[in-house]
Amino acid sequence: MSDYTPEQELASRKQFLRYIEESVHDARYNVEFLRKKLAEAEADYDDKVRGMARQLSLICRLEEQIAEKEDE
């Protein structure tokens, strides 16, 4: 037998439900925050890869120019 009255049991369950709702809300916020951070990281990574590709292209052109000068 429960030591709680029906009113106390109901209040306890409502409080637990509010706790669950707050936890779900917090979890959704955290997921959205992490999605935003992931998108930012992916964009930053893409920018860095493009920058490295440009640098590599420049290095290759410089190497070609050096090789042409050496052939002259």
Side-chain angles (χ1 to χ4, degrees):
M1 203 86 194
S2 174
D3 293 337
Y4 293 109
T5 66
E7 292 81 13
Q8 291 172 323
E9 183 70 25
L10 179 60
S12 176
R13 288 180 185 214
K14 284 182 177 180
Q15 182 179 6
F16 180 69
L17 181 59
R18 280 192 298 275
Y19 168 77
I20 295 298
E21 289 171 340
E22 289 172 6
S23 296
V24 168
H25 174 76
D26 291 347
R28 286 183 178 151
Y29 173 82
N30 290 336
V31 167
E32 287 305 313
F33 176 79
L34 292 172
R35 283 183 180 152
K36 180 181 175 188
K37 288 296 181 185
L38 177 60
E40 290 171 0
E42 287 173 339
D44 185 47
Y45 175 79
D46 290 344
D47 288 345
K48 287 180 180 178
V49 169
R50 280 192 293 276
M52 288 188 291
R54 283 191 298 271
Q55 290 177 2
L56 183 57
S57 177
L58 178 59
I59 289 169
C60 289
R61 280 185 281 164
L62 289 173
E63 287 176 338
E64 289 172 0
Q65 290 174 356
I66 291 170
E68 288 173 1
K69 294 278 185 188
E70 289 174 346
D71 289 344
E72 291 178 353

